[in-house]
Amino acid sequence: MTNMHYRIMKIDNISPKNNLMLAPMAGITDSPFRRLAKGGGAGLVFTEMLSASALARDSRRTSAMLKFSDDERPIAAQIFGSELSALEKSAEIIVSMGYDMLNINFGCPAKKIIKSRAGSALLKDLKSYENVIAAAIRGCGGKIPVTVKIRPGITPDDDRTEDYVRAAESSGAAAIIIHGRFVSQVHSGDVNLDSIARAVAVSKIPVVANGGIVSEISAEETLAKTGCAGLMIGRAAIGDFGIFRRILYYLENRESLAAPSREERIAAYKEHARLSAEFHGARCGVIILRKLAAFYLKGMPGAKRTREAVNKAETLDDFCAALDGIFEPPCEPCGEHGREA
Ligand SMILES: Cc1cc2nc3c(=O)[nH]c(=O)nc-3n(C[C@H](O)[C@H](O)[C@H](O)COP(=O)(O)O)c2cc1C
């Protein structure tokens, strides 16, 4: 049965408390986000992708993105790049910062990344793919495991899952995360569970499935159809950190926990803003969180009006007051909830 898988994964010397992972998401999975995901039940969290070249050059901005707190552990840093010396050097930095794992991005479809022959561009060139893994492993010096995050291929008519799995394994990777959409699909459309199942079939190291896991049902379906060792959740965790706990509970007990109420979601958004302000500074921390309004307020009456108010907030107090506006009665002329912006 499916519920045996998520408890037993070990990635080299790392044993997350469960096999549910928070996906790396650029501009989103900063330290406050990861702490909240951990609190919501995630077993392993990832930084957003960081440029190996920028890290190796000691770019202050990129190095600042490596900061994390102990309650995020176990934590993996994700890097992207194609320059071998930079990959090796950045891996050394990540080890020295105390990370538990290094992950290499082989799935990013962004033009800028592909132009630098990194991310998903490396899926076109197996030799470079292997060299990149080997360089990261050299930099880690056996102190922390190196894992990879891949896609099944560039387009559906060129599914090379088995090649990527075998090459990662023979290069020394400790686990493989597969976002089951082809690069050409970017982040939408069907997830190819069949590709992930084939990866599981040929792999001797743990395979983690990613893509389209948005509920207990999709989590169970992904486990059942692929036999994967773990699940990685991206967008569904934005504004709903408890998704990890609910999925775990369902897999263990075959019963669903209640989804968070409107009040709980608003309280969680405020708490996120508080942590963000603490980490990034009062004004910056609040402004960063404006972009998550659509996720936190999804489906709520008065969401549009509240989003507009949130987008004007520059202090934590204004931000929280804007959110409280969602509980005010609808205003007569427009029928929307909340205070006048
Ligand atoms: C806004 C955004 C940023 C992302 N940034 C990264 C990244 O930095 N590194 C990475 O490997 N994948 C990144 N991804 C892909 C996610 O990790 C994940 O593979 C994808 O969203 C599919 O999972 P989901 O369907 O659960 O969201 C990003 C996705 C989104 C939506």
Side-chain angles (χ1 to χ4, degrees), residues 32 55 81 88 93 166 179 187 194 202 204 263-264 280 329:
L55 273 176
E88 194 171 334
I93 294 169
R166 289 195 184 103
H179 176 190
H187 293 137
D194 172 60
V202 299
K204 294 186 203 74
E263 286 73 15
E264 285 165 337
H280 295 289

Side-chain angles (χ1 to χ4, degrees), residues 61-306:
R61 190 170 166 268
T62 311
S63 306
M65 286 158 94
L66 276 179
K67 275 198 217 149
F68 68 94
S69 56
D70 254 359
D71 56 1
E72 295 170 48
R73 286 188 189 283
I75 178 169
Q78 190 192 60
I79 55 171
F80 68 93
S82 57
E83 203 191 311
L84 301 184
S85 58
L87 283 153
E88 194 171 334
K89 176 90 196 297
S90 61
E92 283 169 19
I93 294 169
I94 281 158
V95 170
S96 72
M97 294 280 297
Y99 275 86
D100 301 300
M101 181 187 294
L102 177 70
N103 179 263
I104 310 172
N105 180 313
F106 288 114
C108 182
K111 277 201 187 107
K112 200 174 130 196
I113 308 293
I114 288 177
K115 231 172 138 187
S116 67
R117 288 180 289 125
S120 63
L122 288 158
L123 296 181
K124 290 185 181 160
D125 174 3
L126 265 191
K127 194 69 215 149
S128 300
Y129 170 93
E130 288 171 338
N131 289 340
V132 161
I133 299 171
I137 290 177
R138 272 197 309 279
C140 289
K143 295 189 181 99
I144 59 172
V146 172
T147 59
V148 298
K149 182 162 178 276
I150 63 169
R151 306 250 192 166
I154 306 291
T155 57
D157 53 14
D158 190 19
D159 185 328
R160 299 181 63 190
T161 301
E162 286 94 337
D163 292 343
Y164 303 141
V165 169
R166 289 195 184 103
E169 209 173 86
S170 64
S171 305
I176 297 169
I177 299 155
I178 307 191
H179 176 190
R181 296 184 177 100
F182 292 91
V183 178
S184 59
Q185 294 176 275
V186 188
H187 293 137
S188 59
D190 289 343
V191 176
N192 301 282
L193 296 180
D194 172 60
S195 304
I196 302 177
R198 284 190 284 107
V200 172
V202 299
S203 182
K204 294 186 203 74
I205 53 178
V207 172
V208 175
N210 167 240
I213 300 164
V214 296
S215 63
E216 294 90 326
I217 302 302
S218 46
E220 184 177 50
E221 186 191 358
T222 303
L223 277 172
K225 290 195 173 161
T226 67
C228 62
L231 302 171
M232 175 177 266
I233 300 170
R235 285 159 293 183
I238 307 177
D240 183 11
F241 297 109
I243 190 167
F244 297 100
R245 184 164 299 119
R246 295 201 304 279
I247 288 176
L248 282 173
Y249 189 85
Y250 181 79
L251 294 175
E252 246 174 59
N253 302 294
R254 305 276 135 199
E255 270 173 34
S256 298
L257 292 173
S261 65
R262 233 173 104 192
E263 286 73 15
E264 285 165 337
R265 278 159 64 192
I266 295 294
Y269 198 8
K270 286 184 188 172
E271 173 62 3
H272 195 166
R274 192 186 66 71
L275 289 178
S276 182
E278 204 176 277
F279 186 79
H280 295 289
R283 185 167 178 276
C284 189
V286 163
I287 289 173
I288 285 174
L289 274 210
R290 289 175 179 172
K291 64 174 180 275
L292 303 190
F295 292 91
Y296 273 106
L297 306 178
K298 199 169 143 199
M300 289 194 199
K304 183 167 168 269
R305 199 174 191 77
T306 305

